[in-house]
Structures are given as structure tokens and as C-alpha cells.
Amino acid sequence: MKGIILAGGKGTRLAPVTFAVSKQLLPVSDKPLIYYPLSVLMLAEIKDILIISMSQDIPHIRRLLGDGSHLGLRITYAEQDEANGIAEAFIIGAEHIGNDSVALVLGDNVFHGHSFQKILHESVDDIEGCVLFSYPVRDPERYGIGEVDDSGNLVKIVEKPVDPVTNRAIVGLYLYDNAVVDIAKNLRPSERGELEITDINQVYIERGQARLVDFGRGFAWFDAGTPDALFEASQYIQVIERRQGVRVACLEEIALRRGFISLEDCLRNSEPMRGSAYGQYVLSLGEGSPM
């Protein structure tokens, strides 16, 4: 399976700071926002990843992540300078996807939960159709809401429903088989002139090939595209890390645990960061803690 992080957009909801800095490089606790979606793909053991962003932001993201080899990854980059919709990612990334299935994660989404890795592993195996994920929200009228039948098959997605029958919001993580590339290429733009991810999902629903996995209780999801959401995500991550003594979305630790890199590689990566708490945490991996 290939991975795509859609890290585009001008971040207008976070202006004026995003006039100078990419949204994906803003901090959530002590890490750049883009660490969180990247960690999702790594937890799913996806190592070949395309980052799609605006041309002006790619050099800065590349400076942060490089080609991913220090993490045992292969990271490449592609441009999306116009807001042509989430679904355009599959057209931009068609060569990257090749004949594989693909996981798309939005660059401003933060996920955390005890069983997250288990859910990911169960979901990425032998995908036929698409797998979407939902999270219960208190204001479903603001989201795309998924409705399922008794077997867990997705039967309908209603965008910003006036009278929602459920509160299961579709989050920014999508798994598709290889058919998604052709589906995206044959989409008609919406009234806004965008290729909508909901239209792709609707094709899979009509084919009876859409499944919805609910994260449910004990899980946290943030769409960190506004100042309030960015602040709330930071507060949540800080509380978890301080109470549990671990780092959420520590890329070096994930790479080490997944066998992407050696302990020697991991410690070498930590050297430029030894003056920070994050760097000290990575260094501690060589001391038998918290491994």
C-alpha cells in the first residue's frame, strides 16, 4: 500500500500566521503538525509516501523531512497550488500509486487512541473497495456523516445534515483499492469547481464496496485547521505525554519499533535535537526506556 499526505491549502482559517508559515509546520505540542498524519501511515507500516502541498511550502517541508531515508521511508513531493479538492490527490499521485492500494490522510488531522495501530493493521489488509473511518461528534451538522447498515457497510454519506440520524463524522483518513485512480479521473467537478472526496466514496457505496470503521470511545481526533482546534490538540497531546511518559507521533520511535531503522540510526537522528525534550526522549530509547 502507498501513502499520500494531502498537506495543501493556504491555511486561511489560521491567518495571519499562515501568510509566512505552512499550516503543516505549526506546532502541536512539541512537534510539527505534519508529524501526526505521517505517524499514522508509519503505524500502518506504509513506507512509500507522497506529500502533496503548495509549491511555496514544499521546500520547507522537505527541509524538515527530507527524502525520509533517516526514518526508513521513501518520501517524495508533488505540487497542488489550487484548491481543486481532496480527490485530486489521486490524480496528482497516480504515478506514485501505480498498481497498489492507497491510504490518504489529511495533513491537518491528529489521531490518537490505544487501539489505533490494531485498527489500522486490520483495515489495510486486502482492501477491496474503500475503508473510511468515523468519530462521534457533538455537532454532526458541521460534518459529512456516515450511515451504515447492520453489517457495518456504509450506505450513505450526508454532508452537513440538517437533521442528522447519527453523529458519526467521516474523518480525514481514507483507504482505497487501486480503482480509486480511475474513479477520480472520471469525476465531474462540483459546483465549487472541486473534485470531491465524497463523490469518490459515493461510487464505492453504489458498488457495495464501502465499509465504515468507527473509532468510538477512548479515541481522540482533531481537525486542527483552526486556532481553537490547534490549541485543543496541543493541550490533549501535552496531557497524554506528561501523564504517560511517552511521546505521541514520535517518528523515530515508530520507525525503530516497526524495524524501519536500527537503534544506531535512531540515536544518530536524535543528535541534532539533543537540546530539546523531544530529542532527549529519542536518546532515552537507547537506555531501555520507554521501549
Side-chain angles (χ1 to χ4, degrees), residues 5-11 14 17-18 20-38 51 53-66 77 107-109 224 230 234 251:
I5 299 175
L6 186 56
K10 297 180 180 179
L14 287 161
V17 66
T18 45
V21 180
S22 168
K23 172 174 63 174
Q24 278 72 33
L25 299 181
L26 295 177
V28 172
S29 188
D30 61 349
K31 294 170 290 294
L33 176 55
I34 199 169
Y35 269 39
Y36 295 88
L38 180 55
I51 296 177
S53 190
M54 297 183 67
S55 56
Q56 67 190 37
D57 294 330
I58 287 176
H60 305 293
I61 299 173
R62 191 193 300 272
R63 183 179 179 184
L64 175 69
L65 299 173
Y77 301 85
D108 57 4
N109 275 217
L230 199 66
S234 292
L251 304 184

Side-chain angles (χ1 to χ4, degrees), residues 156-183:
K156 183 187 295 186
I157 298 176
V158 182
E159 291 293 334
K160 299 180 179 179
V162 176
D163 188 20
V165 299
T166 178
N167 67 340
R168 300 173 70 167
I170 305 296
V171 303
L173 174 61
Y174 315 87
L175 309 180
Y176 297 100
D177 62 16
N178 192 256
V180 72
V181 175
D182 286 334
I183 293 172

Side-chain angles (χ1 to χ4, degrees), residues 69-220:
S69 58
H70 64 294
L71 297 169
L73 307 175
R74 178 179 181 268
I75 297 178
T76 52
Y77 301 85
E79 298 177 3
Q80 185 194 44
D81 281 330
E82 300 297 329
N84 294 326
I86 295 173
E88 190 185 37
F90 302 111
I91 299 174
I92 295 172
E95 183 176 346
H96 167 73
I97 297 168
N99 296 318
D100 291 325
S101 54
V102 61
L104 171 68
V105 58
L106 301 187
D108 57 4
N109 275 217
V110 176
F111 302 88
H112 180 260
H114 177 69
S115 59
F116 190 34
Q117 185 172 314
K118 180 175 181 291
I119 292 172
L120 287 174
H121 285 179
E122 291 174 349
S123 300
V124 300
D125 288 341
D126 300 323
I127 287 185
E128 294 183 6
C130 76
V131 179
L132 308 180
F133 299 88
S134 66
Y135 181 78
V137 295
R138 62 185 178 187
D139 47 358
E141 65 279 358
R142 294 181 52 230
Y143 300 92
I145 299 300
E147 300 178 17
V148 300
D149 61 19
D150 294 337
S151 300
N153 297 312
L154 186 62
V155 295
K156 183 187 295 186
I157 298 176
V158 182
E159 291 293 334
K160 299 180 179 179
V162 176
D163 188 20
V165 299
T166 178
N167 67 340
R168 300 173 70 167
I170 305 296
V171 303
L173 174 61
Y174 315 87
L175 309 180
Y176 297 100
D177 62 16
N178 192 256
V180 72
V181 175
D182 286 334
I183 293 172
K185 289 179 178 178
N186 288 288
L187 285 183
R188 291 184 178 180
S190 66
E191 293 180 357
R192 298 187 299 176
E194 298 182 5
L195 300 180
E196 303 286 356
I197 194 72
T198 299
D199 292 339
I200 285 182
N201 297 333
Q202 185 60 39
V203 172
Y204 281 105
I205 289 172
E206 292 171 358
R207 293 178 178 179
Q209 293 183 314
R211 184 162 62 92
L212 188 64
V213 176
D214 190 16
F215 285 136
R217 299 180 64 179
F219 199 89

